[in-house]
Structures are given as C-alpha cells and as structure tokens.
C-alpha cells in the first residue's frame, strides 16, 4: 500500500473500529481538548499584558503643560455601595480646548455624569434607589466599553464646577507614575504558577496518547500477518494518533472560545479581562497546532520502541534502566544557586532569577522521583500480600507511574509554595476593625453644621458623638487638636471626671496661660491662650480619637474667642435599628455636600487592594491546581486501565491460584499510592522551600498555608482511591479464569 493508503487505514481504524474505538476517540478528544484549552489560555498572557498596558497608558493623566490646551481639573473621590468601591471622577474644564477622557465624546456639564457599563448595570439593578440618589448629577451616557481599565470597574465621570485642590490634566495618554514593584512581584508568582500548571499538561497528553495501546498492538499484529511492513505500521499508528489529536484541537478550541466569551465575569487578581484580551498570539497558536499532533505521534511511537510486532503477536523487550543520581541533582543545584542570592524584585534580572530558580527546583521533582522511588521500593521488605504484589510491580516498572505522579507533584510543590506566599500577603493586607462598629462622617467647616443636622436625621442613628478638628503648633510641630463635649471625650479618650472648660493632652508640653497657635483647614492661624492646666489623657485613645490621631482635647468653654467655623467636624454614630443599609443611608445624607463630606465605615468584606490582589491570584492558582489535579487523575486512570489490559494473563493466573479480587485491587491502591505519598513529601518540602525564599519579594515573614497543603494532599489521595475504584470492572473481568484461555 502507498503512504496515503496507510494513513487512510489508520483513520478508519480510529473511527470505525467499533464501540471501543469510539470510546477511546472521545476520551482522547476530551482529554487533549482540556490540555489545548489550558495551553491557549497560557498563550494569551502576552496579549493580556499588552492590552492592559495600552488601557493603562490611555487613561493616565498628562500633567505637563501643553501649549494651546486648556487644563482640565481632574479629581477622583471614592464612595462605597454595599462593599463595592465606586470611583467618582469630577471634571472641571478651564476652557473650550480642555482634554476629554477616553470613552466619552464630550465633557459632562455640571450636573451630568457618564457611567461605566458595570456601574450602569448596578444602578439599573438597584431596586432600593439608594445608589441612584448618591450619584452626583443626571446620567447622560455610558463610557465606551473596553476603554475602562477593567470590565468590572465602577467609574463615573461627573461634571462639576466646585472641584478644589485636584491635579490639572493637559491630556490623556501617559506612562503611569505609580510604583509597580508589588505588581511585578505578583506577575512573577503568576508566571511560576503558569509553568506549574502547564508542565503536567504535556505529561497528560502523553498518557492520553497511550490510550488503547494493548488493543492497538493486537491490531498491528493482525496487519503484520496481512503483510504490512514495520514502516507501514508506524504510519498507521501515526494516523490513529493524529485523529485523536485533531479532534482534541477542535474540542480545545471550542472550550477556549466558551471561556473567552464568559471571561468578563472573572477577575484576575485585581485586574479584569475583556474577551479580546484573551487572544493567543498567532505564532504560539501555530506552535500548539503543530506541537500537539507531533507530541501524540511521538508518544505513540515511543511507547512501541521496545515492542517487536510480529504476525503471531507482540513481544516486548525491556531491560531494567540504570538510573544515576548525579545528573538528576543538577537542576536542583542550579535552582538553589539562582534563588539563594537576594537580587531583589525591583530589578528585571532579580525577578527572572527567582522565576528560573523556582522552575528549576520544581523540574527537579520529576527528574529525581524515579530514582528515589526505585531506591525506596528496593529496600522494602515484607507486608501484606497486596502490598508485596504492588512492591514487586514497582520494582519491575517504577518509571511509568512515577512519570504521571511526578507531573502531579510539580503542581503540588508550586501550589503549596505560591499558596503560602499569597495567603500570607492576603492575611497581612486585610483591614482591621478599629472602629468598634461605628460609622464616621467627616465634614469641612463650611458645611459642618448642615452635615451634623443631616446625619442626626438618618433613621436609626444612635449613640451620636461629634468633635471639631484643628491643628495646634507646639514646640515647632503640628499636633492634632479636637474640641468636643465631655461625653465624647470620656468615650473616646478613656478619661473620667471631665468638666466643661477642661483641656486634656497626651504627654502635655504646655501650661496654663501659654499662648499657642491654632490652624484650621483654611490655613488661617489664630492665637489661643491655654485657660487651665492640661490634664493628661489617662487611657489609650479609641474611637474617634484614635481615628483622627488626636493628641490634645479641649471642651467648648475652653475655646472662648476662637473662631471654629473653619474647623472640620467628625461625627461618630451607631445603627440603632439593625438596618443593613444604615451606612448607605448615612452616605446618602451627606452626598449633597460633595467634596466637603465623606463617610468611613468598617466592612468585614472589604480588603485592601494588595490583599485582594494576592487573594484573587491565590484562588486562580488553587483552582488551576485542582483542574490539573483532575487531569492527572485522568492520566492515572488511563495508565491503570492500560496496565490491567496488559496484565490480563497475570491477573487471570493470580485469580486461578486463589488470590481474591480485593487483594488485587488493594495492590493497585498501593501501586499508585506509594509513588504518590513519596511525591507529596518531596512536593511539600519543595513548596515550603520556595515559600521561604520567595517571601523576600515582599519583605514579609514566612506563612505556611497548611490548609491548602492538606486540601491538595487529600485531593491527591482521594483521586488515587477513585482511580482504583474505577478500575474495578476491568480487574474483575481480567481476573476471570477465562482470561487464560482467551489470551
């Protein structure tokens, strides 16, 4: 036959060989499809970074003057709505040539607002009406999609004529001026995580390519009997493998497109993705399209390297491999040499040194595990019959199970190390409740009295406290100065026996009759003569005093002759009606005062941007680790099924001599479990080592996420049990005495 006819024959055998062939084809297509989808997502990393950098550049403000451009006052404030942060960007043009932010075709006039698509959805879905009344101005449009930095950002461009002390913008499109060292550190961790997740994918593809190997060998023997040459058999084998690979490429592309369409619902640490961001570069797509079929064909050929296909059957000639240790230690030593020096994360070379070192350390696991497993099983003596059967099998072939388990252990090591780093950062970055459950309102002097009245009118407002804030100059330095009534001072400063006219100070350095200078937010200085000898603050400041960092307290009668109209006011209150939207009502009450009033309240669901960044990245890697763990489980299942097929005669002989099926099943548990348990120990040690070295990126103490370690290890053990249970029907069939006759 010609080469074309050989390939067509291989295609017909793959799709027309009965129900068994269809099942194998479906399993191969689904398995390879999952791997291809992961590879396509990884190949989109460059596009994700490029598109995000472009959006960041387009939205960054240019502060240097440009001739002929009227500067735009650009001031952003943040408000919260039910735990979600909303950015209100107030814009005030100084002339007709003021720049326009990206995503809108004109500047909003005073009293108008453009909303981001996600904020527009949130306003439309808010049946309470609390959010709509909070937004300053009437909505006149929606900011163009994909010009907002992240698809889930809640942003509003608000026209205003009262913006004060805000930066001037002469244009948009500039390099961001913030420090990106922390962001680069997280990206370095994600690059390591990407390697961790992709490495077992290739091992999995190789395992899937071996699916149906025993059946394929019998077909090849029949073809050999019909007159096919060894070269023709290789072409037929290649064609069979290519069918599954091509079907897997189609399935993988479909899965990738499904995920791409829903990607706006996912948050990648503090960054969001648009569908167009998840676009793999064409060179990498071509590489994947060529690599997957080539890998499947080479794996199928490699599996037959020791097989001699003859007309009357297949004979496998193998010799125990001689595994040497010295070269297996090279990647580990190289990785240690790269991660031990503290190059620092601020430099590009330092980040890449850490990435390369961590990758080499994890590569040492699949390299070292076969040698270590061989040495361990060679020294084990005794045990139950099932245990001895497993040890005997591992001694004769320890390389096959260790290859699949090694890929899993790479995932475990990387996940343990990265989870520990990110969990520690997320825990350290979380907000701490220092408010004692109170809501704080701060209002500037011109609207202070109106803000106090508005807050008092909120339904359910209770335990009301208020103080005015100024600054006092003592010993050439400014200290926070507060004026409040005695109940407020006693509640927030821990003093007792307060009387109107008293003055309190932490470590007082002034005395009765001393002339001091008071300064309000309007920068106007006023003289103040201390009327009485200051009393010390006996307790640690809490509540408003701690919130404002107050060092000096004075009662109203002690402020005779001082104009307090420019002093800002801080109001503290509690929810007395158990209303879940109490804080939102307080925010709405002061919303009409715009820049002159703001609200602060502790939210146990609110975390810092840094903590959210690490927490979200941790969840992504954890989910990816579980997905690859599932792929490894399928690999083990394929391997276990193939071993049962190859050992049908041996299993039938064991059953004929009186060995119960349950003993054979337990031997399979030990056979898969011993390499896995050994790998978990190595992976845990490697992961903790990576976390210990990687903590230097953020100058934090070592934190081991033992919960993640336990979950991942338990998931691996459960996976082995499920894989063994799935082989029960095949083992029962192979253990029948009839297997000896049919073989």
């Amino acid at each position: 036959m010609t080469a074309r006819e050989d390939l067509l024959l291989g295609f017909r055998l793959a799709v027309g060989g009965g129900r068994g062939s269809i099942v194998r084809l479906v399993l191969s297509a689904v398995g390879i499809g999952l791997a291809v989808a992961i590879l396509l997502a990884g190949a989109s990393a460059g596009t994700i970074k490029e598109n995000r950098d472009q959006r960041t550049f387009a939205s960054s403000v240019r502060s240097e003057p440009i001739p002929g451009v009227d500067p735009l006052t650009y001031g952003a404030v943040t408000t919260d709505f039910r735990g979600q942060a909303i950015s209100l960007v107030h814009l005030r043009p100084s002339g007709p040539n003021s720049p326009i932010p990206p995503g809108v075709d004109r500047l909003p006039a005073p009293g108008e607002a453009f909303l981001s698509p996600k904020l527009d959805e949130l306003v439309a879905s808010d049946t309470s009406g609390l959010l709509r009344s909070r937004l300053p101005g009437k909505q006149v449009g929606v900011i163009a999609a994909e010009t907002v930095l992240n698809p889930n950002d809640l942003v509003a461009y608000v026209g205003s004529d009262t913006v004060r002390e805000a930066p001037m913008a002469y244009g948009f499109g500039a390099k961001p001026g913030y420090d990106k060292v922390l962001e680069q550190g997280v990206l370095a961790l994600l690059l390591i995580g990407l390697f961790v997740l992709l490495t077992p994918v290739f091992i999995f593809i190789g395992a899937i390519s071996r699916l149906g190997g025993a059946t394929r060998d019998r077909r090849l023997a029949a073809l050999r009997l019909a007159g096919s040459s060894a070269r023709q058999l290789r072409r037929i084998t290649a064609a069979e493998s290519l069918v599954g690979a091509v079907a897997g490429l189609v399935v993988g592309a479909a899965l990738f497109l499904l995920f791409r369409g829903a990607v706006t619902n996912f948050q990648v640490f503090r960054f969001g993705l648009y569908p167009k961001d998840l676009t793999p570069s064409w060179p990498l797509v071509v590489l994947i399209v060529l690599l997957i079929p080539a890998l499947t064909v080479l794996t199928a050929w490699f599996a037959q390297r020791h097989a001699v296909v003859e007309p009357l059957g297949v004979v496998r000639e193998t010799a125990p491999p001689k595994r040497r240790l010295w070269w297996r230690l090279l990647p580990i030593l190289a990785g240690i040499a790269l991660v031990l020096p503290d190059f620092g994360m601020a430099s590009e070379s330092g980040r890449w040194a850490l990435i390369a070192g961590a990758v080499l350390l994890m590569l040492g696991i699949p390299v070292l595990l076969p040698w270590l497993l061989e040495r361990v099983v060679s020294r084990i003596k005794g045990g139950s019959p099932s245990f001895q059967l497993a040890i005997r099998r591992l001694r004769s072939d320890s390389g096959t199970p260790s290859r699949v388990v090694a890929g899993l252990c790479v995932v475990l090591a990387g996940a343990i190390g990265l989870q520990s780093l990110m969990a520690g950062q997320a825990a350290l970055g979380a907000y701490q409740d220092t408010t004692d459950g109170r809501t704080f309102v701060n209002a500037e002097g011109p609207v202070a009295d109106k803000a106090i009245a508005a807050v008092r009118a909120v339904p359910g407002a209770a335990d009301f406290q208020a103080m005015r804030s100024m600054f006092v100059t003592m010993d050439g330095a400014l200290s926070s100065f507060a004026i409040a009534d005695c109940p407020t001072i006693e509640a927030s400063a821990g003093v007792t026996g307060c009387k109107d006219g008293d003055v309190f100070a932490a470590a007082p350095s002034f005395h009765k009759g001393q002339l001091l200078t008071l300064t309000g937010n309007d920068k106007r200085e006023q003289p103040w003569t201390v009327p009485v000898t200051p009393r010390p603050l006996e307790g640690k400041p809490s509540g408003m005093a701690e919130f404002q960092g107050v060092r000096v307290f004075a009662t109203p009668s002690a402020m005779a002759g001082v104009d307090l109209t420019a002093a800002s006011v801080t109001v503290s209150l509690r929810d007395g009606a158990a209303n879940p939207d109490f804080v939102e009502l307080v925010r709405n009450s002061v919303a009409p005062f715009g820049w002159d009033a703001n609200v602060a309240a502790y939210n146990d669901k609110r975390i810092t941007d840094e903590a959210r960044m690490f927490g979200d990245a941790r969840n992504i890697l954890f989910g990816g680790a579980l997905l690859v763990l599932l792929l490894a489980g399928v690999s083990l299942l394929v391997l276990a099924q193939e071993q049962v097929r190859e050992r049908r005669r041996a299993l039938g002989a064991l059953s004929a001599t009186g060995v119960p099926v349950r003993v054979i099943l337990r031997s399979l548990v030990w056979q898969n479990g011993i390499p896995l348990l050994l790998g978990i120990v190595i992976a845990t040690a490697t992961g903790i080592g990576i976390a210990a070295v990687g903590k230097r990126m953020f100058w934090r103490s070592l934190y081991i996420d033992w919960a993640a370690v336990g979950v991942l290890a338990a998931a691996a053990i459960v996976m082995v049990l499920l894989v063994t249970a799935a082989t029960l029907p095949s083992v029962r069939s192979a253990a029948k005495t009839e297997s000896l006759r049919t073989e």
Side-chain angles (χ1 to χ4, degrees):
M1 294 191 299
T2 64
R4 178 174 175 274
E5 291 173 336
D6 290 337
L7 295 176
L8 289 176
L9 177 59
F11 172 78
R12 288 196 296 268
L13 290 174
V15 300
R19 186 173 60 181
S21 297
I22 297 299
V23 170
R24 286 192 295 272
L25 179 61
V26 171
L27 288 176
S28 299
V30 173
I32 294 176
L34 288 172
V36 169
I38 295 175
L39 290 175
L40 289 175
S44 304
T47 309
I48 292 172
K49 183 181 184 303
E50 180 182 351
N51 289 354
R52 179 171 179 82
D53 287 345
Q54 290 177 354
R55 291 196 298 271
T56 303
F57 177 85
S59 60
S60 297
V61 173
R62 297 183 60 180
S63 57
E64 66 277 5
I66 299 176
V69 175
D70 300 318
L72 174 72
T73 305
Y74 185 95
V77 295
T78 301
T79 184
D80 276 26
F81 181 74
R82 294 174 179 169
Q84 301 184 77
I86 302 173
S87 178
L88 304 176
V89 182
H90 293 260
L91 305 173
R92 185 181 68 182
S94 61
N97 295 325
S98 294
I100 299 175
V104 294
D105 55 1
R106 66 177 179 88
L107 289 172
E112 295 181 343
F114 288 92
L115 307 186
S116 67
K118 202 67 176 182
L119 181 56
D120 181 52
E121 293 178 10
L122 184 60
V123 171
S125 63
D126 175 33
T127 57
S128 67
L130 293 174
L131 179 57
R132 187 178 299 276
S133 60
R134 173 97 49 83
L135 299 176
K138 176 184 176 183
Q139 180 180 352
V140 294
V142 177
I143 302 172
E146 299 187 1
T147 60
V148 181
L149 190 58
N150 303 302
N152 293 324
D153 282 354
L154 305 176
V155 181
Y157 290 147
V158 180
S160 176
D161 53 7
T162 59
V163 183
R164 301 192 308 270
E165 297 182 0
M168 306 299 289
Y170 288 85
F172 295 88
K175 183 178 180 181
Y178 55 84
D179 185 10
K180 298 180 68 175
V181 172
L182 178 64
E183 180 180 315
Q184 293 292 345
V186 179
L187 291 176
L189 293 180
L190 287 180
L191 284 175
I192 298 174
L194 183 63
F195 168 82
V196 167
L197 298 181
L198 291 183
T199 299
V201 169
F202 296 101
I203 299 175
F204 173 72
I205 292 174
I208 285 293
S209 302
R210 297 170 182 258
L211 190 64
T215 304
R216 183 186 299 120
D217 289 344
R218 289 194 294 271
R219 288 201 305 267
L220 294 178
L223 291 172
R224 192 80 170 91
L225 181 62
S228 297
S229 65
R231 183 184 297 272
Q232 288 178 307
L233 295 184
R234 291 172 66 85
R235 287 198 291 262
I236 294 170
T237 301
E240 284 191 80
S241 302
L242 284 174
V243 173
V246 173
L249 288 173
V250 174
V251 172
L255 292 174
F256 174 75
L257 292 176
L258 286 175
F259 174 72
R260 187 176 186 267
V263 74
T264 52
N265 297 324
F266 292 84
Q267 196 77 11
V268 181
F269 48 108
R270 67 178 179 182
F271 302 151
L273 295 177
Y274 292 96
K276 73 172 186 179
D277 294 341
L278 207 62
T279 303
S281 63
W282 281 110
L284 291 178
V285 172
V286 173
L287 180 63
I288 292 172
V289 170
L290 296 177
L291 179 64
I292 297 301
L295 183 61
T296 55
V297 171
L298 290 175
T299 302
W301 284 348
F302 187 77
Q304 294 180 337
R305 69 192 187 281
H306 294 303
V308 179
V309 181
E310 296 295 342
L312 298 180
V314 179
V315 178
R316 295 190 175 273
E317 299 176 349
T318 60
K322 295 181 179 180
R323 296 187 173 93
R324 302 185 183 279
L325 177 62
W326 66 269
W327 68 268
R328 300 175 187 274
L329 296 177
L330 293 180
I332 298 175
L333 295 176
I336 293 174
L338 285 173
V339 300
L340 279 185
D342 190 1
F343 295 110
M345 287 305 297
S347 65
E348 188 76 13
S349 60
R351 289 191 293 271
W352 282 109
L354 180 66
I355 293 172
V359 166
L360 286 172
L361 284 175
M362 287 183 291
L363 277 177
I365 296 175
V367 173
L368 185 63
L369 187 58
W371 178 89
L372 190 61
L373 179 61
E374 182 183 75
R375 294 300 183 275
V376 169
V377 298
S378 66
R379 288 168 171 76
I380 295 179
K381 307 293 183 183
S384 63
S386 61
F387 185 77
Q388 292 185 47
L389 284 173
I391 294 298
R392 185 61 178 256
R393 178 63 182 172
L394 288 174
R395 285 175 181 172
S396 63
D397 182 18
S398 61
T400 302
S402 63
R403 280 193 294 269
V404 177
V405 171
L408 172 61
C409 292
V410 171
V411 177
L412 290 178
I416 289 169
L418 300 181
Q419 289 285 316
S420 297
L421 281 173
M422 293 180 179
Q425 296 302 315
L428 290 169
Y431 284 119
Q432 300 297 322
D433 184 10
T434 59
T435 66
D436 194 26
R438 304 182 70 86
T439 299
F440 296 89
V441 179
N442 185 268
E444 301 298 331
V447 302
D449 293 332
K450 295 180 181 179
I452 292 175
V455 172
R456 284 186 179 276
V458 173
D463 196 7
F464 192 87
Q465 300 174 6
M467 68 181 187
R468 295 182 182 267
S469 299
M470 300 182 76
F471 294 96
V472 59
T473 303
M474 297 186 303
D475 299 328
L478 289 177
S479 294
S480 181
F481 185 96
I483 303 97
D485 56 22
C486 280
T488 299
I489 294 175
E490 290 181 347
S492 60
V495 300
T496 57
C498 173
K499 302 184 297 296
D500 195 15
D502 284 346
V503 176
F504 301 85
S509 59
F510 54 93
H511 53 81
K512 178 180 178 180
Q514 184 174 347
L515 183 63
L516 300 176
T517 300
L518 300 180
T519 307
N521 287 342
D522 59 354
K523 310 300 183 184
R524 182 166 60 95
E525 295 183 350
Q526 299 183 67
W528 176 60
T529 302
V530 181
V532 295
T533 300
R535 293 177 53 186
L537 291 176
E538 300 170 355
K540 179 182 177 181
S542 60
M544 281 197 301
E546 183 180 16
F547 185 71
Q548 295 289 92
V550 176
R551 301 281 298 171
V552 180
F553 266 116
T555 52
S557 296
M559 303 303 297
V562 177
D563 182 10
L564 299 178
T565 56
S568 62
V569 170
T570 300
V571 178
S572 171
L573 66 159
R574 293 183 186 273
D575 175 20
N579 184 353
D581 284 326
F582 174 74
V583 175
E584 307 306 328
L585 293 174
V586 174
R587 288 193 174 103
N588 284 4
S589 71
V590 299
F593 305 120
W595 289 76
D596 293 327
N598 60 79
V599 178
Y602 174 76
N603 184 344
D604 58 359
K605 296 181 180 179
R606 181 76 182 272
I607 57 176
T608 64
D609 286 341
E610 179 182 343
R612 183 181 294 109
M613 181 192 308
F614 283 101
D616 290 344
R618 177 189 175 210
N619 293 336
I620 290 169
L621 290 175
F622 190 73
L626 291 179
L627 176 61
V628 177
L629 202 66
L630 177 62
L631 295 181
V634 177
S635 300
L636 281 176
L637 180 59
V638 171
L639 176 64
Q641 295 286 4
E642 285 301 294
Q643 288 180 341
V644 171
R645 290 191 185 98
E646 292 177 0
R647 299 172 61 200
R648 289 182 65 87
R649 181 177 298 174
L651 295 179
L654 287 173
S655 179
T657 57
V659 178
V661 173
R662 63 178 181 274
V663 173
I664 298 175
L665 279 175
R666 284 200 295 266
S667 73
L668 290 177
V669 173
W670 285 115
Q671 186 176 319
N672 291 326
I674 291 174
L676 182 65
L677 292 175
L678 185 61
I680 288 175
V681 173
I682 299 175
T684 302
T686 305
I688 293 175
I690 292 173
V693 175
K695 70 182 179 63
R696 297 178 316 198
M697 287 193 303
F698 310 102
W699 305 279
R700 306 281 191 173
S701 58
L702 178 62
Y703 178 94
I704 303 300
D705 188 3
W706 291 111
V709 174
V711 169
L712 291 171
I717 294 172
V718 170
M719 182 190 66
V720 169
L721 296 176
L722 292 177
V723 165
T724 305
T727 60
L728 177 60
S730 300
V731 172
R732 287 189 181 278
S733 175
K736 294 178 180 179
T737 310
E738 290 80 1
S739 298
L740 294 175
R741 292 194 294 269
T742 57
E743 289 289 340

